[in-house]
């Protein structure tokens, strides 16, 4: 392969699709830095390592590239351009400064909104009607560099995070396809982000799926679809050692009667639970741990929202 040498940092389906685009074009991908699949994680997406190995491209999966040994290894690859797509680790500024054409990342939101981890899940949780992908320069601050290009897509109010991700995934390759020649020529357009519009969110944990029944029906419904399968799921705990998974639910038609405490089981069959402003029917329940009887009038526990799920 000829042309500028690209060192590609990538994981997940977005990383796989974008690497495939570069390989189909015949671009010179000098190496892939990626991740070993995490033990216990539901790997429901394609990853880029297989495509790279099939083309004889070196594949590395260090825990961190920000060590003297890995910085030297990357420097020895002679990168002209660094591209990062859904790579999960921070790439230090010494590495970002290596390529003469710069270092650029594709982030799964319409920056400057939803910087940080799990942007699609956070957008669904907050009921966003539109999400997107952004190509931007990498800087010391994550997701804060100048924007090269972005593209958005509408999502529905009932889409799960997985469905939303499928809708937005093609935006990554379309943005990269539009700009890769400009990146390789060192003339990609760059527009600074508006810091007054920036929002940042942290990584989500399985514990962040705990339902606080004091929240509104819409908020709980959005949580359910934001963490629905293949993600860890929303849940409530009727008793110690018993976790009721809420894989899907529907806002109940009837409003909650005055004086009814949120979390009260209004009906056991179908299973309807009072929320902060109405009620939610749990249409796809499941049990993790021991199953317990659910009776009308019983109270499901509140859960104070954790700092990462506010």
């Amino acid at each position: 392969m000829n042309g500028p040498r690209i060192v590609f940092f990538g994981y997940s389906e977005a990383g796989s699709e974008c690497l495939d685009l570069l390989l189909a074009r015949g671009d010179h991908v000098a190496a892939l830095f990626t991740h070993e699949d995490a033990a216990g994680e539901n790997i429901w997406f394609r990853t880029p390592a297989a495509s790279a190995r099939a083309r004889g491209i070196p594949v590395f999966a260090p825990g961190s590239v920000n060590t003297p040994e890995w910085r030297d290894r990357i420097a020895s690859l002679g990168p002209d351009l660094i591209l990062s797509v859904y790579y999960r680790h921070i790439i230090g500024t010494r590495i970002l400064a290596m390529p003469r054409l710069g270092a650029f990342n594709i982030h799964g939101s319409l920056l400057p909104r939803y910087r940080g981890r799990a942007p699609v899940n956070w957008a669904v949780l907050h009921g966003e009607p539109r999400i997107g992908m952004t190509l931007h320069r990498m800087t010391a601050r994550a997701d804060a560099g100048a924007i090269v290009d972005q593209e958005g897509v509408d999502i529905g109010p009932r889409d799960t995070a997985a469905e939303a991700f499928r809708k937005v995934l093609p935006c990554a390759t379309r943005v990269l396809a539009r700009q890769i020649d400009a990146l390789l020529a060192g003339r990609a357009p760059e527009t600074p982000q508006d810091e007054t519009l920036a929002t940042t969110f942290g990584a989500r944990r399985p514990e962040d799926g705990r339902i606080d029944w004091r929240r509104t029906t819409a908020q709980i419904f959005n949580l359910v679809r934001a963490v629905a399968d293949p993600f860890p799921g929303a849940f409530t705990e009727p008793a110690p050692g018993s976790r009721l998974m809420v894989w899907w639910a529907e806002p109940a038609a009837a409003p909650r009667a005055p004086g009814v405490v949120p979390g009260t089981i209004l009906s056991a069959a179908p299973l309807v639970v009072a929320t902060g402003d109405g009620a939610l029917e749990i249409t796809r329940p499941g049990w993790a741990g021991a199953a317990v009887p659910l009776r009308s009038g019983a109270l499901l526990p509140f859960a104070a929202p954790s700092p990462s799920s506010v």
Side-chain angles (χ1 to χ4, degrees):
M1 291 180 286
N2 298 316
R5 296 171 61 84
I6 302 170
V7 173
F8 191 92
F9 292 75
Y11 191 62
S12 189
E13 195 129 2
S16 184
E17 294 281 344
C18 288
L19 179 61
D20 286 349
L21 169 67
L22 299 178
L23 297 178
R25 284 169 39 94
D27 291 318
H28 189 169
V29 179
L32 166 68
F33 284 81
T34 188
H35 308 286
E36 299 291 348
D37 294 338
E41 181 176 356
N42 181 13
I43 308 299
W44 54 275
F45 42 79
R46 288 197 310 125
T47 58
S51 292
R53 291 189 177 107
R55 298 290 288 270
I57 295 169
V59 176
F60 305 106
S64 170
V65 294
N66 302 307
T67 65
E69 294 78 12
W70 280 108
R71 285 196 295 265
D72 289 345
R73 176 73 66 91
I74 293 168
S76 73
L77 294 169
D80 295 304
L81 177 71
I82 283 177
L83 283 177
S84 170
V85 184
Y86 275 58
Y87 187 68
R88 292 178 172 180
H89 295 331
I90 294 295
I91 303 172
T93 54
R94 293 187 189 180
I95 296 172
L96 298 182
M98 289 180 186
R100 63 182 178 85
L101 298 173
F104 296 86
N105 176 59
I106 291 181
H107 179 71
S109 79
L110 293 171
L111 291 174
R113 301 190 68 204
Y114 293 99
R115 294 174 179 173
R117 298 290 299 274
V120 173
N121 302 79
W122 282 111
V124 170
L125 188 146
H126 288 131
E128 298 289 352
R130 189 170 178 81
I131 59 177
M133 294 279 186
T134 300
L135 174 64
H136 67 95
R137 181 177 287 275
M138 299 180 76
T139 63
R141 287 196 301 140
D143 307 322
I147 293 172
V148 173
D149 199 354
Q150 60 185 187
E151 183 169 320
V153 63
D154 293 338
I155 60 173
R158 296 173 61 80
D159 283 342
T160 65
E163 290 166 340
F165 180 75
R166 291 295 175 197
K167 288 183 176 180
V168 78
L169 179 60
C171 294
T173 51
R174 285 199 289 264
V175 167
L176 183 58
R178 282 199 299 263
Q179 299 296 339
I180 184 60
D181 287 328
L183 291 173
L184 293 172
R187 52 178 175 78
E190 297 186 47
T191 303
Q193 294 188 37
D194 184 345
E195 289 294 327
T196 66
L197 301 177
T199 58
T200 302
F201 297 89
R204 292 194 61 81
R205 308 161 301 165
E207 181 64 20
D208 293 324
R210 184 184 298 272
I211 296 171
D212 182 347
W213 295 104
R214 295 168 295 187
R215 291 184 177 262
T216 67
T217 299
Q219 288 173 326
I220 298 172
F221 177 67
N222 285 340
L223 171 64
V224 169
R225 63 193 188 96
V227 297
D229 187 67
F231 297 101
F235 66 91
T236 189
E237 294 180 332
S242 178
R243 178 169 289 190
L244 175 64
M245 304 303 300
V246 181
W247 293 114
W248 195 251
E250 297 285 349
R256 179 170 60 85
V260 174
V261 177
T264 300
I265 298 176
L266 302 178
S267 167
L271 182 54
V272 180
V273 182
T275 67
D277 68 346
L280 197 71
E281 180 181 345
I282 300 173
T283 57
R284 273 192 62 205
W287 290 100
V292 298
L294 299 175
R295 300 183 178 88
S296 295
L299 184 65
L300 297 174
F302 296 145
S306 68
S308 66
S309 60
V310 171

